[in-house]
Amino acid sequence: MSYTAAPILPSECISLASEYIKLGDWDLVKKSAIEQNLIQARALGSLKRIVHELIYRLKSLDKKELEWLIEANQQEQLYMLWLAICRSYRFIAEFSDEVLREQFITFNLVLNHEDYDLFFRHKADWHAELDELSDLTKQKVRQVLFKMLTEANLIDSNNMIQQANLSLELKQMILDRRPDELRFFPMFSD
């Protein structure tokens, strides 16, 4: 549940990805990002935590995907960052597949907190550590996930699921690496 440390933060991710392309080493990127405060955090502790989390996500992308991320349009960047989030956090990947996409393809287009809560309870049956989270933490986990979904334009401000319109290039990159990752997006299979 460490993803609660930071929402998507696209411009910060682009800065970190650009640093990686330039430096070629994630440890050097982390050091540079902290020294230069690339994400403009107010406190050093927050800066370190956010940089760590964003780099963790970006490491799931290969060099070609990172280069593409830097050059893509804003919506495509958000889709690529959503893909990185799903690769990094199994809980979000499963939610994307089992709830978000499933509801989309069955035309149940309103994603509400009850849908999330049902998913969470189901996962807690298999992962006891989820039941150990405080109510405040459970609320924060849900809040940040819904914020990310909204930022990625996968749901709107009324929690209506929005079809992901991946470019042919992005779709092909996913198909070339791991075709099953298309399930992270609310869209119909071809």
Side-chain angles (χ1 to χ4, degrees):
M1 299 300 165
S2 65
Y3 69 83
T4 60
I8 293 181
L9 300 176
S11 60
E12 292 83 349
C13 286
I14 303 305
S15 294
L16 293 170
S18 297
E19 280 289 292
Y20 178 77
I21 297 302
K22 188 168 51 176
L23 301 173
D25 181 298
W26 285 113
D27 290 332
L28 293 176
V29 171
K30 184 176 185 177
K31 183 179 179 197
S32 173
I34 291 169
E35 286 175 358
Q36 298 177 44
N37 193 7
L38 283 180
I39 61 166
Q40 302 299 306
R42 292 188 192 132
L44 182 60
S46 295
L47 173 64
K48 288 180 178 180
R49 188 170 51 256
I50 293 168
V51 167
H52 172 80
E53 209 58 41
L54 296 181
I55 288 175
Y56 174 70
R57 296 171 191 175
L58 291 170
K59 280 181 171 181
S60 73
L61 303 176
D62 63 28
K63 188 174 181 191
K64 178 182 174 186
E65 291 168 329
L66 289 168
E67 290 170 341
W68 187 87
L69 170 69
I70 294 165
E71 300 299 324
N73 69 44
Q74 184 178 14
Q75 183 57 61
E76 292 286 300
Q77 289 173 334
L78 291 168
Y79 289 152
M80 182 61 83
L81 292 171
W82 180 254
L83 178 63
I85 286 168
C86 289
R87 286 177 179 170
S88 302
Y89 311 103
R90 182 175 165 195
F91 181 83
I92 294 178
E94 291 176 359
F95 180 82
S96 296
D97 181 23
E98 297 170 23
V99 180
L100 180 69
R101 184 172 179 276
E102 187 63 30
Q103 283 192 205
F104 177 78
I105 63 176
T106 59
F107 299 103
N108 180 8
L109 299 179
V110 178
L111 182 67
N112 54 50
H113 289 176
E114 292 78 21
D115 300 316
Y116 170 86
D117 293 342
L118 181 63
F119 171 80
F120 188 93
R121 285 192 301 274
H122 174 71
K123 292 300 171 185
D125 288 343
W126 294 95
H127 302 281
E129 65 275 12
L130 292 176
D131 268 337
E132 296 170 11
L133 298 175
S134 71
D135 289 341
L136 188 60
T137 300
K138 289 177 186 177
Q139 183 180 353
K140 174 87 171 176
V141 166
R142 180 179 66 196
Q143 176 188 9
V144 173
L145 176 54
F146 273 72
K147 180 177 177 141
M148 286 189 209
L149 287 164
T150 304
E151 289 175 333
N153 297 314
L154 298 175
I155 62 173
D156 68 14
S157 59
N158 296 315
N159 293 347
M160 293 289 294
I161 299 171
Q162 305 298 299
Q163 180 172 343
N165 294 308
L166 279 61
S167 68
L168 292 175
E169 187 178 2
L170 176 55
K171 195 172 185 180
Q172 193 59 53
M173 268 194 283
I174 296 170
L175 288 170
D176 289 346
R177 183 167 172 187
R178 292 208 41 209
D180 62 319
E181 291 181 336
L182 287 175
R183 74 185 193 279
F184 300 148
F185 297 94
M187 55 189 247
F188 296 104
S189 302
D190 290 337

